[in-house]
Amino acid sequence: MATYNLNINGKTAQVDVDPATPLLWVLRDHLKLVGTKYGCGIAQCGACTVHIGDGAVRSCQIPVSSVGEQNITTIEGLSEHGDHPVQQAWMEVDVYQCGYCQAGQIMQASALLKHNPNPSDEEIEATMSGNICRCGTYTRIRKAIRLAADKSQNS
Amino acid sequence: MTLIRTKIGRRSFIRSSALAGGGLMLGFSWFASCKNAEEAEAVLQMPDEWFEINGFLKIGNNGVVTIMSPNPEIGQNVKTSMPMIVAEELDVDWNNVIVEQAPLNTDIFTRQLAGGSQSIRQGWQSLRMAGATARQMIIGAAAQAWGVPAEEITTNAGQIKHEGSGKTAGYGEMAAAAVNIEVPEEVKLKEISEFKIIGTSRKNVDGPKIVTGQPLYGLDYQEEGMLIAMIEHPPAFGMKLKSFDEEGVKAMPGIKDVFSIEVYPDDYTKLWADATVFDELVVVVGASTWEVMNAKKALKAQWEPFEEYKDAYDGREQIVPAGLENTSEHYNKLETMGAKLAKVVRRDGDPEAAFKNAARVIERRYSCPFLAHNTMEPMNFFAHVTDEEAKLIGPIQTPEYMEKSVSARLGLPLEKIDIQMTRQGGGFGRRLYGHFLVEAAVISKKMNAPVKLVYSREDDMTYGVYRPSYLATYRAAFDENNNLTAFHVRAGGIPESPLFANRFPAGAVDNYLAESWEVGSNISIGAFRAPRSNFIAGAEQSFLDEVAEEMGKDPIDLRLEWLAKAEKSPVGEENDYDAARYAGVLQLVKDKANWSTEQPGVHRGVSAYYCHNSYVAQVLDMTMEGGKPVVDKVTCAIDCGIVVNPDAAVNMAEGGIVDGIGHAMYSGMTFKEGEPQQSNFDRYRLIRNSEAPKAIDVHFVENEIDPTGLGEPPFPPIMGAVANALYRATGKRHYHQPFVQERSLKG
């Protein structure tokens, strides 16, 4: 066991856990931030995607001991009022079916737009292909990302 | 005007006021607040008092309405569409509605089950009546208050009006009095032309919670003092627990206990929803998921093959054969059986003679592998069981059935079992089978503590209640003029047959033969989105494509020709489809896809199917890029009667299409010595974003027929459309799913 002070969603959170514990389970079990989802545990589905700094990472593969002082953003902290352009676009397009994978999809999409505000269709598809949606909402995910890109550029 | 007797009965429409605490409707769990509690409060002023008019709804003194969504939500969006139907007849402004997930209560709600695409179809009448009855009681209260005849009172969007006296009021003002109005014996339902909510697109009521990561799902549920439990199941089908070594594991960090459980003891009679062949499991319980996962890896359990046994199910005995099965042997058995005479299920005319006298016969065989459901949220359930009662919270498609199972397993009366439904991270049929709920209950009882049972992805994928592996043999006989003279389907599977003997083209062919066969297995199987149809539709629709080609006919025109015959002079009396509606979707898709216009480089496949009471036709456009097939576009026509929530219905169709393309092309579960060979998404391939169609264009037949479901119908036919487009794109017919790694068929 070891103590870590994590910077999550603009706040500091202290946890006392095994250093090998993946960030995913620190978030879900210890910090009650359950918006980040468990899907596969081997970085194949993207359900657990969070941001470290500006980049999207699979939190199931990040030992808590490796995070240090980097800023972590989870779906709960993506925006203060749930109104990030990607969240707005997701609601406008009504993307989700079961909704379970969508936090990971939104975190992946928002990281994409941060680095590439106006991605091509190919870039969207390539970036989003690491995130499985078992319900098959892929065409709506693409549409929402294009809408969010428009929103960001026009705002 | 439609007069309908309120046959739900008085017992169902329990009236209670908020003063009495609203009985079981209020504050039943922290999942209760729904249409985005936070957001709803920001927009809607919460009432000081709620008045429960009947089990489906309560009205606040300020006119805000809460509508209960009775059925489990697995992504089919019934949590939005079912309350829309109530709101329509109640005649309220949808913006004033809050939706809550109803508790399990079979006294009030009928069929609280997610399956068979039946929620809307079977809920239609009772949901309308619930709304209309409440509206009638509001009107009754206004009539008494104003001293005017109820018949002269009109309503509009939550407002009550009496034209003659000029009196008006909001529903909220009459809600308290409405509670004491006699439940009407008959209610007037709206004309379809009067609908204001049904037929208009309304957003998913959980949307704002989904995009902000609120705790909606079973796996998100937490309680003070809750422990985490995981199971270790036999590594292979055909094996059972021999022994395990708990000592080293018990001492690991965070671990509270290690033990084995009998999920279903020998003297337990299973219900169908208890389907499993892993009756004894090893359990690890601890403080956190990661610690329990690690401890589970350190478990040293010994397993041994079991002998054939009989499993007692309600009303039947199931023989579970011994043996460690292999996929290669499965396919050998399928092919052997597919070549032999089987049990005749339907015979029209004299098919044997027609085949004997045919100028030409074509015969084709189609097959598919086992499939794992792979819901994105793995199986899980929370349980807190004491000597007196059991509280269970989580994702389950069959809460009514599992309440009975838990009651029988724990020896507690039904009324002491409280099952609460969470939003579910996918269902696809997997959560019809709730052994994990019984496991959670047994573990909680043993630990005497609240426990959340969590399956790892590997547990989830290798402890499946899989889609069976099927094979279908199709034959068609032609005369010297290329007319079809007989049609023959012989279908079977491990361990059940996918045959629907009375579906098209039965009824359209004079000489028709359908045979069915089965091969036993100890691999647990069950319903997977559109059971049986999810294979046989693709096989049949691929074969029809070859028949059309043999006859030199356009594949849509051939189907329309046969459907015209089935409509005008059907063969046999048991045909289970409406030929005119079937033809209707084909005509619509032909029109919307501009079927008659060829585009260079675009290869098209068509398919149409009827299942779960709805009709779907699809045209799939494929192009080849760098030798790889790309699905450019799918055009889809659907007849599901009245469409309750159009954009959400389009979403379901899009999802079914993507799901169907994915499973036809990429997915499959194989076994070696009984052991599932795919245990996570690195080896089990699911369709990805870049592989989904570039565009999906969905159209609905407009009619005034009572609505039918959409969770399943758009899924099966697309597999045929994929196969038919692949043929045009590559010149090669594909018979064996998944098409990207098609096995070679012997013989």
Side-chain angles (χ1 to χ4, degrees), chain B residues 291-305:
Chain B
E291 287 167 324
V292 177
M293 277 182 172
N294 280 333
K296 195 161 106 70
K297 284 180 194 146
L299 258 184
K300 289 181 192 70
Q302 302 293 316
W303 313 90
E304 61 187 352

Side-chain angles (χ1 to χ4, degrees), chain A residues 1 17-22 25 27-47 60 75-79 81-83 86-88 90-103 105-106 121-122 124-143 145-146, chain B residues 39 73-77 202-204 206-208 210-217 219-222 228 253 287-291 293-294 372-378 423-428 452 454-458 528-529 645 647-648 650-656 658-659 663 680-682 686-696:
Chain A
M1 292 295 205
V17 294
D18 174 353
T21 310
W25 295 112
L27 293 170
R28 289 188 58 84
D29 279 0
H30 300 275
L31 299 173
K32 316 296 181 204
L33 290 168
V34 294
T36 304
K37 299 301 190 226
Y38 166 68
C40 69
I42 59 166
Q44 291 292 311
C45 79
C60 72
I75 186 73
E76 291 92 343
L78 184 62
S79 63
H81 303 290
D83 57 356
V86 172
Q87 289 168 312
Q88 285 183 350
W90 243 251
M91 287 188 279
E92 227 170 295
V93 175
D94 224 20
V95 169
Y96 20 71
Q97 286 184 24
C98 86
Y100 189 83
C101 74
Q102 299 293 349
Q105 304 275 2
I106 288 168
D121 290 352
E122 290 71 25
I124 291 173
E125 285 177 23
T127 306
M128 299 308 295
S129 283
N131 291 70
I132 295 173
C133 172
R134 178 66 184 79
C135 299
T137 65
Y138 295 131
T139 52
R140 285 185 182 235
I141 287 168
R142 295 179 206 145
K143 187 176 169 187
I145 293 173
R146 285 191 287 265
Chain B
E39 208 217 20
E73 173 62 63
I74 58 174
Q76 81 282 46
N77 209 11
R202 306 291 167 154
K203 301 239 181 275
N204 188 315
D206 276 344
I210 291 169
V211 303
T212 52
Q214 300 306 300
L216 289 168
Y217 303 90
L219 206 58
D220 301 342
Y221 186 78
Q222 295 176 339
I228 300 290
S288 74
T289 315
W290 178 246
E291 287 167 324
M293 277 182 172
N294 280 333
H373 295 78
N374 289 327
T375 60
M376 285 310 291
E377 180 192 14
R423 191 176 183 84
Q424 309 187 30
F428 311 106
K452 183 166 67 181
V454 177
Y455 277 33
S456 69
R457 173 56 58 196
E458 289 80 4
F528 183 108
R529 191 178 205 171
N645 192 4
D647 185 58
V650 169
N651 197 345
M652 282 312 298
E654 291 168 348
V658 171
D659 191 9
H663 282 100
N680 208 323
F681 298 128
D682 51 347
L686 288 174
I687 189 168
R688 301 278 177 164
N689 194 311
S690 61
E691 294 155 343
K694 304 302 166 204
I696 301 174

Side-chain angles (χ1 to χ4, degrees), chain B residues 651-697:
Chain B
N651 197 345
M652 282 312 298
E654 291 168 348
I657 287 164
V658 171
D659 191 9
I661 293 171
H663 282 100
M665 291 290 286
Y666 309 116
S667 308
M669 171 59 78
T670 57
F671 299 88
K672 193 171 176 187
E673 297 290 305
E675 187 181 343
Q677 294 298 289
Q678 293 75 28
S679 63
N680 208 323
F681 298 128
D682 51 347
R683 297 194 64 200
Y684 196 105
R685 186 169 171 191
L686 288 174
I687 189 168
R688 301 278 177 164
N689 194 311
S690 61
E691 294 155 343
K694 304 302 166 204
I696 301 174
D697 185 23

